[in-house]
Amino acid sequence: MQRLLDVSELAAPEPLERVLESIGSLARGECLHVYHRQEPLLLYPILDERGYRWLSATDHSGMVHVLIWREDDERACDAAQDAIRQCTRT
Amino acid sequence: MHPDLNFQQAPPISVPFRFFLTAPLFGVAAGLLILSFGPAALTSRWAPATLALTHLLTLGFITLVMCGALMQMLPVLAGSVLPRPLAVSTATHTLLTAGTVALAAAFTWWWPGLLPVAGALLTTGFAVFIAAVSLALVRAGARGRTVVAMRSAVAALAVAVIAGVMLIAALAAASAPSDPVRLTNLHLAWGLLGWVGILVCGVAYNVVPMFQITARYPEWLTRFLVPVLVGALSAWSALQIFGAGLPDALAPLSMSLCAAGFTLFAAVTLRLQRGRKRRTEDVTRGFWYAGMASIFAATILWGLGGLGLPLIHDRLPFLLGAFVVVGFAISVIIAMLYKIVPFLVWFHLQRLPPSARAGGGGTVPNVRKVIPAARVKWHLRLHLFAIAVLILAAAWPKWLSHAAGLSLAASFALLWLNLLRAVLLYRRSIRPVH
């Protein structure tokens, strides 16, 4: 299960703000699918510190997809890996 | 899937902020210098007071801000961390600040004895900065266009510093170098067009789309602009040094290529900003518009200067200085500061654990409240007024010099107050350690 968050038309640091707000309410088995126009390099260390895991990929149009889940949530991890495979395929 | 960055080593907030809070004070000093010297500060480009003025603005304001910003941006834009950031920034900031004060004092009151001191402080400060940033840029994991621009800008800074030190040495020894005008032109071309111009372009590739939600800069521009600028500046310099006997038209031709490059950058930036994806109000765009319009104006003036029209020809160095230094470089740097500083305050507070934040259950203030838009708008009005008066004073120094000095000082003072507000908000948001 994944929740989509489109931050591609927000000015910095709104994308970071929105992501940090959203990850707090992730349900068990759920991952957050962030759609962004650039790699959110500053987000990653914050996610690492707060106990989240993430994967990112750039699609053919140059847009960046970041999948985020809680580190102890294996179902969400599987969902994130499926989602990232689809992003790189399309 | 991601660059291997170590953000734990990213510089603390005090690294860029010490530069950002010192720099506007040099701008205030530049305004007060024009106020105090009046037309004498804007009459001859070789007058000591004029040299003090240009260095207060270019070294004191522009270069200090750019050094601080570059140190902060290396991890984010280049994927590389500055070695020993606190030690490097403390040494660079202290040496450059003291060196600029010494240089400005030596010129303002014409104390040649102080010139070697200024030269030694500035050379050491720049050596530390260039060595540390070069090391970080060599190690840079990312190979983007911004990294190419940063490397070119730092190399240009090295050339400008070497030429500057040669000029200081000649002045201190009271023996003019073989061709002081040529050496001065090399110094300012590499300093202004190379160091300042190229770094502004390279950083704009990232910050304009990031903060203003525009489309990316086109591939053809980011790929070719910096190499063309460096090539044109190098060709122009080679002609200055070794060009005896070659046709006179070659040097203006290479500089025309440089002017065309910056004009193209300005046109593309305006086009991106006009076609931005979200139509929200953003006061900092006003500073960008002023900066880009100044590039167009400077290019046209420089072209007209070649025709020998009396007013333009006589006042060309001052008009170009007003447009390029204040109209373009300072406007764009202020626009970037008003985005970067609130972002840094928000980001560093966000990184703190909630227990380390003061008030409101450890919440982080909204980024828009760090420097409210209304304050930026007042500064924009004052800055535009200061640019307009300065340009008129550059054309007719007898009438408007004092007004130009006063408005420039007021504009920088307001910038300093706005930045100070952001720093104080950061300090208030941290729980004091008992």
Side-chain angles (χ1 to χ4, degrees):
Chain A
M1 192 168 57
Q2 57 169 300
R3 192 195 311 170
L4 185 66
L5 179 66
D6 182 352
V7 295
S8 62
E9 294 194 5
L10 300 181
E14 275 184 85
L16 281 180
E17 282 179 307
R18 295 287 179 91
V19 173
L20 295 176
E21 274 166 23
S22 301
I23 53 174
S25 61
L26 278 178
R28 200 83 201 151
E30 188 182 36
C31 60
L32 185 69
H33 183 163
V34 181
Y35 183 68
H36 202 347
R37 63 188 185 285
Q38 64 184 68
E39 189 93 2
L41 295 176
L42 293 172
L43 172 67
Y44 300 146
I46 302 179
L47 294 176
D48 292 342
E49 280 167 10
R50 297 188 184 180
Y52 291 86
R53 291 283 170 265
W54 52 273
L55 280 172
S56 77
T58 306
D59 66 23
H60 68 283
S61 59
M63 299 304 282
V64 175
H65 301 258
V66 185
L67 274 296
I68 304 167
W69 68 96
R70 289 183 203 278
E71 62 185 348
D72 58 353
D73 191 341
E74 283 180 21
R75 256 190 319 135
C77 174
D78 293 341
Q81 284 175 343
D82 284 346
I84 210 84
R85 272 195 291 272
Q86 282 185 3
C87 295
T88 45
R89 214 177 289 145
T90 51
Chain B
M1 284 194 182
H2 64 96
D4 181 20
L5 303 183
N6 187 349
F7 283 90
Q8 308 310 322
Q9 291 174 37
I13 199 165
S14 70
V15 167
F17 276 16
R18 68 189 64 189
F19 290 89
F20 297 165
L21 277 185
T22 311
L25 299 176
F26 282 112
V28 173
L32 294 179
L33 186 134
I34 305 178
L35 184 66
S36 133
F37 279 75
L42 301 173
T43 305
S44 159
R45 84 181 259 214
W46 306 107
T50 311
L51 294 173
L53 168 65
T54 51
H55 287 88
L56 282 170
L57 291 174
T58 52
L59 265 182
F61 181 76
I62 296 175
T63 297
L64 270 192
V65 172
M66 284 171 51
C67 288
L70 198 54
M71 289 178 179
Q72 177 64 40
M73 285 176 174
L74 277 169
V76 186
L77 300 186
S80 183
V81 179
L82 198 71
R84 307 188 62 188
L86 260 181
V88 168
S89 79
T90 305
T92 306
H93 175 259
T94 310
L95 290 163
L96 292 187
T97 300
T100 307
V101 169
L103 189 70
F107 282 141
T108 305
W109 294 288
W110 192 239
W111 295 331
L114 206 51
L115 285 171
V117 179
L121 288 166
L122 290 169
T123 309
T124 320
F126 279 124
V128 171
F129 174 77
I130 292 171
V133 171
S134 302
L135 190 65
L137 285 170
V138 166
R139 287 186 196 154
R143 295 277 182 271
R145 303 284 151 72
T146 296
V147 176
V148 172
M150 283 176 169
R151 286 180 182 147
S152 308
V154 171
L157 175 65
V159 176
V161 170
I162 291 167
V165 169
M166 286 167 73
L167 286 163
I168 286 182
L171 276 173
S175 65
S178 57
D179 194 340
V181 177
R182 194 168 293 180
L183 191 56
T184 308
N185 287 344
L186 281 169
H187 170 63
L188 74 87
W190 284 96
L192 270 183
L193 305 178
W195 161 238
V196 180
I198 289 176
L199 194 61
V200 164
C201 294
V203 173
Y205 297 164
N206 276 280
V207 297
V208 169
M210 186 167 146
F211 286 113
Q212 299 183 357
I213 322 296
T214 68
R216 293 190 182 106
Y217 277 82
E219 167 74 12
W220 56 265
L221 186 92
T222 59
R223 173 176 291 202
F224 294 113
L225 179 62
V226 170
V228 166
L229 290 174
V230 172
L233 272 175
S234 306
W236 177 82
S237 306
L239 288 163
Q240 296 291 310
I241 300 167
F242 311 110
L246 291 171
D248 284 349
L250 285 176
L253 200 67
S254 51
M255 201 40 98
S256 302
L257 197 57
C258 214
F262 283 114
T263 308
L264 199 60
F265 166 77
V268 170
T269 303
L270 288 178
R271 198 181 139 94
L272 289 177
Q273 289 174 338
R274 286 177 65 85
R276 67 193 181 278
K277 292 175 184 168
R278 268 208 326 180
R279 298 266 152 195
T280 49
E281 196 195 357
D282 179 356
V283 185
T284 64
R285 253 196 330 272
F287 290 98
W288 275 97
Y289 290 159
M292 300 305 102
S294 297
I295 292 183
F296 295 136
T299 306
I300 293 167
L301 271 175
W302 179 73
L304 290 175
L307 302 177
L309 301 172
L311 171 69
I312 293 174
H313 187 264
D314 296 347
R315 304 300 307 157
L316 192 63
F318 286 91
L319 287 166
L320 283 181
F323 276 115
V324 175
V325 175
V326 184
F328 160 60
I330 292 179
S331 298
V332 172
I333 286 171
I334 291 173
M336 292 190 187
L337 275 176
Y338 277 137
K339 290 293 185 187
I340 293 168
V341 166
F343 181 85
L344 288 176
V345 166
W346 178 87
F347 179 72
H348 281 269
L349 288 174
Q350 191 69 55
R351 293 294 304 274
L352 292 172
S355 59
R357 300 184 208 130
T363 51
V364 175
N366 185 298
V367 71
R368 285 179 211 83
K369 290 188 179 151
V370 176
I371 305 176
R375 286 171 161 267
V376 180
K377 200 178 260 181
W378 272 110
H379 183 211
L380 174 63
R381 290 178 187 136
L382 189 52
H383 178 70
L384 294 178
F385 179 75
I387 295 176
V389 182
L390 188 69
I391 288 163
L392 292 173
W396 297 283
K398 275 186 193 160
W399 298 344
L400 287 160
S401 299
H402 294 99
L406 194 61
S407 48
L408 200 62
S411 170
F412 278 112
L414 191 51
L415 172 65
W416 186 76
L417 287 173
N418 285 345
L419 298 180
L420 184 68
R421 180 194 159 90
V423 174
L424 292 178
L425 184 137
Y426 176 80
R427 290 178 67 96
R428 275 201 311 273
S429 303
I430 303 175
R431 192 182 291 278
V433 179
H434 296 292

